[in-house]
Amino acid sequence: MTSRRRSEMVEETRAKLIRAARSAFAEKGYSTASMDDLTAVAGLTRGALYHNFGDKRGLLAAVVDQIDAEMAERAHAIGSQAESPWEGLMAEGVAYIEMAMEPEVQRIVLLDGPAVLGDPSKWPSQNRCLHATMQTVQALIAQGVVKPVDAEAAARLLNGAALNASLWVAASDNPSEVLVRAVDAFRCMATGLLETPA
Amino acid sequence: MTSRRRSEMVEETRAKLIRAARSAFAEKGYSTASMDDLTAVAGLTRGALYHNFGDKRGLLAAVVDQIDAEMAERAHAIGSQAESPWEGLMAEGVAYIEMAMEPEVQRIVLLDGPAVLGDPSKWPSQNRCLHATMQTVQALIAQGVVKPVDAEAAARLLNGAALNASLWVAASDNPSEVLVRAVDAFRCMATGLLETPA
DNA sequence: TTCTTTACATACGATACGTATGTCAATCTG
DNA sequence: CAGATTGACATACGTATCGTATGTAAAGAA
């Protein structure tokens, strides 16, 4: 009855650890979160951790990857519903700004992630996300909608501006009000990339 | 002969500690840098550290403040030499991108700083810098050069884009070549703020 | 069934932070 | 000028946490 395959068990413990790590890292921050506490919450010990993820960084990498993948999926879903490709790009950027207001994203992906894992553009997840926006930009350039700038550079600047704006919004005293200002300015600045500012 | 005033001595030890911390944090990163090693290099012990800066974070805050102040000064000096106020703003942004290629700036201010000290916009130094660009933007709006967007939001987006671009440049395999692409795209995107894209 | 390997737990050592305490010189006080 | 006091820093200590080395029991192969 309790007979599940080994691989299933492993995936379950990995999931349990990642789940515990997400909340621990989000609440206490990476450096303050204790591996002992973390694993205890998951009903395990540090042994499981070092066996599955190598070290503390490895666990963070797994957590970041999961969150980032969710973000990319959500952003893409939102962007693909837009009227035009350009509006899709804008909606995607705005979605990033809004998502980054969640403590998990904020603390783990934007603050601790870069410090512990290094430049985000090297992460597999971030590469996927960036690649997506890059392709959108590329397509917009081909259509003559966006000026013929370097697609990668444009994508990175858009992402960077969006993510940075979220930090501001989240840290502000009145997030919902600041969010409007941030989104406005974001859309305005982004029009610089347009061939015809319309 | 060795009689210096107490305050002079204190300033000197603080300076020695900050100097040692700058190189240690830049080379090993904040978390890996050992307080024992760090103080030993400065010819002191951890006692001096905790007396002068409270704790490890306090030392990082002092280091960040120093570096950031230097950055603001350099950026302003460069920006004020420009032909027009708008070109000054652009030059300032580009200066940030270039400065962030230095390991000290990169590692300490952009990576560890936010993770350990929290949102950069709350730092006294960053506030000064941001305030400067904010005022520039404000002035440009008054002159009708820049669209009437929220000045703070615009300043933050510009800063964010610039700093993010630097991370990309510094982490790339061919920094000098990537720098050109980043600066190009930055200037292009920033024109979105202009009233008349010219 | 027996042997091997996998998945995790337990035990251990090392490092490093923060605090509590000690010391010595500089300044203040009478 | 002598004694008291404060401040600047060093030393000593306790504790927490990470990573590894070792142990163990169950799953799968032979």
Side-chain angles (χ1 to χ4, degrees):
Chain A
M1 192 56 190
T2 322
S3 68
R4 278 167 307 188
R5 276 177 309 194
R6 178 108 82 166
S7 58
E8 284 177 1
M9 298 285 298
V10 170
E11 273 315 302
E12 191 176 316
T13 61
R14 286 179 64 95
K16 277 197 279 192
L17 288 171
I18 290 180
R19 222 176 304 146
R22 274 179 77 143
S23 83
F25 288 161
E27 285 170 22
K28 309 189 173 187
Y30 174 78
S31 68
T32 311
S34 159
M35 310 277 275
D36 278 317
D37 298 354
L38 211 166
T39 51
V41 168
L44 296 162
T45 70
R46 283 208 336 266
L49 238 171
Y50 285 95
H51 183 71
N52 283 287
F53 298 100
D55 60 355
K56 196 178 182 179
R57 282 186 60 196
L59 179 60
L60 177 64
V63 170
V64 162
D65 193 83
Q66 190 182 78
I67 298 179
D68 218 10
E70 292 174 11
M71 287 176 67
E73 192 193 328
R74 281 202 277 167
H76 181 71
I78 290 175
S80 62
Q81 285 182 332
E83 313 248 321
S84 69
W86 172 255
E87 276 307 315
L89 188 62
M90 291 299 95
E92 224 174 280
V94 173
Y96 272 111
I97 297 182
E98 288 170 350
M99 284 189 290
M101 291 178 58
E102 297 162 26
E104 259 189 354
V105 174
Q106 178 100 18
R107 177 81 241 185
I108 300 177
V109 178
L110 300 184
L111 293 178
D112 285 330
V116 177
L117 305 175
D119 183 65
S121 53
K122 302 277 182 177
W123 308 346
S125 54
Q126 192 82 349
N127 270 341
R128 281 200 294 274
C129 153
L130 202 70
H131 201 70
T133 50
M134 249 182 70
Q135 285 186 320
T136 307
V137 172
Q138 198 79 272
L140 287 165
I141 292 175
Q143 293 174 25
V145 177
V146 160
K147 289 178 191 163
V149 295
D150 187 273
E152 184 177 6
R156 282 176 190 278
L157 288 174
L158 286 173
N159 259 331
L163 296 180
N164 203 282
S166 349
L167 278 176
W168 172 42
V169 172
S172 77
D173 299 322
N174 189 349
S176 53
E177 184 256 348
V178 171
L179 177 61
V180 179
R181 295 201 274 152
V183 169
D184 267 12
F186 175 77
R187 298 184 70 101
C188 174
M189 194 172 79
T191 60
L193 298 170
L194 281 173
E195 193 71 71
T196 60
Chain B
M1 195 51 190
T2 322
S3 66
R4 279 167 306 187
R5 274 177 309 194
R6 181 109 79 169
S7 58
E8 285 177 1
M9 298 285 296
V10 171
E11 274 314 303
E12 192 175 317
T13 61
R14 287 178 63 95
K16 276 198 280 193
L17 288 171
I18 290 180
R19 223 176 304 148
R22 275 180 76 143
S23 83
F25 289 161
E27 286 170 22
K28 310 188 174 189
Y30 174 78
S31 67
T32 313
S34 157
M35 310 277 275
D36 278 317
D37 298 353
L38 209 163
T39 51
V41 168
L44 296 161
T45 69
R46 282 207 336 266
L49 237 172
Y50 285 94
H51 184 71
N52 282 287
F53 297 99
D55 61 355
K56 196 178 182 179
R57 283 186 58 194
L59 180 61
L60 177 64
V63 169
V64 162
D65 193 83
Q66 192 184 77
I67 297 180
D68 217 10
E70 293 174 11
M71 287 175 67
E73 193 194 328
R74 281 202 278 167
H76 182 71
I78 290 175
S80 62
Q81 284 182 334
E83 313 249 320
S84 69
W86 172 255
E87 275 307 315
L89 188 62
M90 289 299 95
E92 225 174 280
V94 173
Y96 272 110
I97 297 182
E98 287 171 348
M99 283 188 294
M101 291 177 60
E102 298 162 27
E104 260 188 352
V105 174
Q106 177 99 21
R107 178 82 240 185
I108 300 178
V109 178
L110 300 184
L111 292 179
D112 286 330
V116 177
L117 305 174
D119 183 64
S121 54
K122 301 276 183 178
W123 308 346
S125 54
Q126 192 81 350
N127 270 339
R128 282 199 295 274
C129 153
L130 203 69
H131 201 70
T133 51
M134 248 182 71
Q135 285 186 321
T136 307
V137 171
Q138 198 79 272
L140 287 165
I141 292 175
Q143 292 174 24
V145 176
V146 161
K147 290 179 190 160
V149 295
D150 188 274
E152 186 178 4
R156 282 178 189 277
L157 288 174
L158 286 173
N159 259 332
L163 295 180
N164 203 282
S166 346
L167 278 176
W168 173 40
V169 173
S172 76
D173 298 324
N174 189 350
S176 53
E177 184 256 348
V178 171
L179 177 61
V180 178
R181 294 200 276 152
V183 170
D184 267 12
F186 176 77
R187 299 183 70 102
C188 175
M189 193 171 79
T191 60
L193 298 171
L194 280 173
E195 193 71 71
T196 60

